[in-house]
Amino acid sequence: MNIICKRLVSLYHPNGSSVKKHTHNGHELVYCLEGKGSAGIEDKRYGFSSGNFYITRRGTLHSEAVREGTRIIYFYFEAPAELVCEGMFADYEGTVLSLVNKLKTEADTNEVFKEEMTECLIKTVLIETARIKENGRPTLNSVLQYINENIEKDIDFRALAEKLHYSYERFRHLFKEHTGMSPHQYLITQRLEKAKFLLKLDSGASLTEISYNCGFSSSSHFAKAFRSKEGMSPSEYLNRNKS
């Protein structure tokens, strides 16, 4: 069987919607970009949120219910069934979304070797899905990497736990067991480590600018957290490292 992209569409559900059990004459990948919902695949029910996707094979009974303000990509394709892993998956690194976006771009162009590129991209999506299934949930090390790369942003740990199909209590317990800190404590610690690095890097840097670059809501919030952790103000730390 050839590997073919049959249709790829992004839909926004402003008022939520539900679809009763049905099948397709082809495989389907459903990727949640924003919002929350649930999917029934045969006799199993899965919750999903942004960053989750599920795949059903040709002929598999499935249903879907989404909440308000949910944006989803629906991707229908042909491929040998043995390459298609069925189920719900967490695209923690965003790898599958990147490939799906490339497929959409490819579908909208008439570049040379379009069919060959489409086949390669679909194969890669299926390989990445198989690896996610083989490896299970992302390791806590990959969660730490995500936090370290996004410390200046507001991180919703409850949403992160839900994406990984953990309860927040279980996620927090595993996180503390792994790091010795709660997720929030770890985030503050990493923000302060970055701030210390920036203070050493540029002695003339604005404390207000450093506080915002490290994810603190204000310079006073930054100063309070810094003193609590280091036993001195950022200015005192800066002066001590000058001499």
Side-chain angles (χ1 to χ4, degrees):
M1 177 186 294
N2 293 330
I3 297 179
I4 301 170
C5 172
K6 297 175 70 176
R7 187 178 176 220
L8 196 156
V9 60
S10 178
L11 295 179
Y12 181 71
H13 302 281
N15 300 312
S17 65
S18 62
V19 181
K20 294 181 179 179
K21 284 189 176 182
H22 63 287
T23 64
H24 295 291
N25 186 27
H27 312 304
E28 180 184 28
L29 183 153
V30 178
Y31 196 109
C32 181
L33 297 170
E34 177 186 353
K36 295 180 180 180
S38 63
I41 303 176
E42 295 292 2
D43 58 348
K44 294 183 179 180
R45 196 81 194 171
Y46 305 90
F48 63 77
S49 58
S50 59
N52 289 137
F53 69 97
Y54 68 89
I55 294 179
T56 55
R57 295 192 188 100
R58 174 188 299 102
T60 294
L61 274 171
H62 60 285
S63 61
E64 182 182 288
V66 298
R67 302 182 187 176
E68 294 182 6
T70 302
R71 191 159 54 100
I72 292 179
I73 292 175
Y74 297 93
F75 171 44
Y76 305 94
F77 63 99
E78 293 287 353
E82 62 270 19
L83 296 179
V84 181
C85 293
E86 198 167 68
M88 181 70 70
F89 306 95
D91 184 26
Y92 184 74
E93 305 294 342
T95 306
V96 171
L97 177 58
S98 176
L99 292 165
V100 170
N101 283 333
K102 287 179 181 177
L103 275 164
K104 187 176 187 307
T105 300
E106 199 67 28
D108 294 337
T109 65
N110 289 306
E111 297 285 347
V112 294
F113 299 116
K114 176 177 178 175
E115 291 182 3
E116 290 81 359
M117 178 60 79
T118 298
E119 181 176 339
C120 287
L121 289 169
I122 295 174
K123 273 187 178 179
T124 307
V125 167
L126 298 178
I127 290 169
E128 290 291 346
T129 302
R131 289 179 175 179
I132 292 172
K133 185 174 183 177
E134 179 69 20
N135 295 330
R137 290 186 175 104
T139 65
L140 281 173
N141 284 333
S142 65
V143 173
L144 297 183
Q145 181 181 349
Y146 173 80
I147 294 171
N148 294 342
E149 291 174 353
N150 295 276
I151 59 171
E152 76 285 357
K153 300 177 182 177
D154 291 329
I155 297 178
D156 187 338
F157 290 110
R158 290 186 179 275
L160 181 57
E162 186 176 352
K163 183 185 296 186
L164 303 180
H165 301 292
Y166 284 123
S167 68
Y168 177 69
E169 289 71 24
R170 178 61 176 163
F171 171 75
R172 190 178 186 280
H173 173 77
L174 291 173
F175 194 100
K176 191 166 186 177
E177 191 176 66
H178 189 71
T179 66
M181 294 177 274
S182 71
H184 180 70
Q185 288 170 334
Y186 181 85
L187 175 60
I188 295 300
T189 298
Q190 293 307 109
R191 286 174 171 174
L192 290 172
E193 287 300 314
K194 181 178 179 180
K196 286 161 63 178
F197 171 78
L198 293 176
L199 286 167
K200 290 178 180 179
L201 184 66
D202 183 2
S203 59
S206 161
L207 295 182
T208 299
E209 184 179 346
I210 287 177
S211 67
Y212 284 113
N213 285 341
C214 295
F216 293 98
S217 58
S218 66
S219 55
S220 60
H221 180 208
F222 166 51
K224 183 178 179 181
F226 196 97
R227 182 179 288 280
S228 176
K229 181 74 165 53
E230 301 297 329
M232 66 184 81
S233 70
S235 298
E236 290 170 331
Y237 180 88
L238 183 57
N239 291 332
R240 181 170 297 187
N241 280 277
K242 278 183 181 178
S243 59

